[in-house]
Amino acid sequence: MGGDNVSAPGTEPTGGAMGDRDLRVCDAEREYVGTLLQRAVGLGMLSLGEFTERMDTALAAKTRGELNAVLIDLPGIRLTGRQGQQADPGLRPGHPGSHSGPPPETLRPRMSSVVRKGPWQVPSRLRINSRMSSITLDFTQAIMSAQVVEIVIDDAFGALNLILPGAATVDLNGVELIGSGITNEVPTGPPIGPLHVVVRGRLKFGAITAKHPFGVKWNRIVQGGFLPGGRGPQG
């Protein structure tokens, strides 16, 4: 009826119990919201300044109501449920009421080698479904359509090599590894530079490598006044 508050199934307050928005949140929920905000940047829903401001708020949030405040104007996204169930329908293209972003480009190599380099057009979302293949994505001269690039991987017995420009950052924490390994030589963290690559999904018996091109590492050595092997500047 008018003016009544209707709770979601399984969240009915009983005996004066606190409402859903007053429940305390944990670090995992704060980190999850950070991931949603990163995706929102990649979809053009938030600017870099807005991301930074909302991320600070999310990290300081103590209750679900405070955490939901940073998602309130992103379509269809909020934290729900008593046990911290999390939903991000607003970031899935095609979901009713969601932000309609372009569908992700998909690579499906089988026992093949795929190399993207030079001035190639990078989509904001890339899906990789590969088997026994090698994929190299070189972003150093790429044409970017968004600051944040999301790569969703489903790979078995393969290798993914990411070559990133000097100011780029990467997030590989969302990859489930099964008999696999990750080598990362690129700074991690929020998207504070011109490019932030987020990789998530599953990798079976394969490898992911994220690195800068050789020239970037050498320039840092020279600028720091040191040569390989720990030797100081030459006179």
Side-chain angles (χ1 to χ4, degrees):
M1 304 296 293
D4 292 339
N5 293 321
V6 181
S7 300
T11 62
E12 294 85 352
T14 58
M18 66 176 62
D20 181 77
R21 64 175 287 108
D22 297 318
L23 294 176
R24 291 272 177 163
V25 294
C26 62
D27 287 340
E29 289 175 294
R30 297 185 186 96
E31 292 173 2
Y32 183 78
V33 168
T35 300
L36 297 183
L37 293 175
Q38 288 183 14
R39 295 185 200 171
V41 172
L43 292 171
M45 300 168 71
L46 293 176
S47 68
L48 180 57
E50 289 171 325
F51 168 83
T52 302
E53 180 179 350
R54 295 188 188 209
M55 195 66 196
D56 290 341
T57 301
L59 293 175
K62 295 182 174 63
T63 66
R64 189 158 293 148
E66 293 174 354
L67 199 53
N68 273 325
V70 303
L71 304 174
I72 193 168
D73 59 347
L74 302 178
I77 310 171
R78 70 186 185 95
L79 298 181
T80 60
R82 286 188 178 277
Q83 302 302 322
Q85 294 96 331
Q86 299 147 346
D88 60 334
L91 293 182
R92 290 200 291 267
H95 188 282
S98 71
H99 174 83
S100 297
E105 179 180 339
T106 301
L107 299 178
R108 301 180 183 274
R110 297 293 187 269
M111 302 179 64
S112 303
S113 177
V114 177
V115 178
R116 295 281 181 90
K117 64 179 182 179
W120 64 288
Q121 186 74 40
V122 180
S124 61
R125 301 178 67 231
L126 179 63
R127 192 175 300 274
I128 297 175
N129 181 282
S130 61
R131 298 293 182 268
M132 303 178 66
S133 298
S134 172
I135 299 175
T136 298
L137 303 179
D138 187 338
F139 294 89
T140 54
Q141 299 180 32
I143 301 173
M144 309 305 302
S145 60
Q147 179 200 18
V148 178
V149 176
E150 181 183 25
I151 300 175
V152 181
I153 184 172
D154 177 9
D155 183 283
F157 301 97
L160 173 62
N161 302 301
L162 305 175
I163 304 175
L164 303 171
T169 53
V170 68
D171 180 357
L172 304 174
N173 294 324
V175 180
E176 178 185 357
L177 300 177
I178 302 174
S180 303
I182 290 178
T183 301
N184 183 23
E185 302 176 1
V186 176
T188 61
I192 57 176
L195 173 62
H196 181 67
V197 177
V198 180
V199 183
R200 59 186 180 89
R202 176 178 295 183
L203 178 64
K204 299 179 181 178
F205 307 104
I208 296 178
T209 300
K211 62 182 180 180
H212 295 304
F214 176 76
V216 171
K217 183 180 295 186
W218 179 255
N219 286 338
R220 288 179 176 176
I221 293 173
V222 173
Q223 291 172 4
F226 289 90
L227 297 177
R231 291 174 292 160
Q234 300 292 305

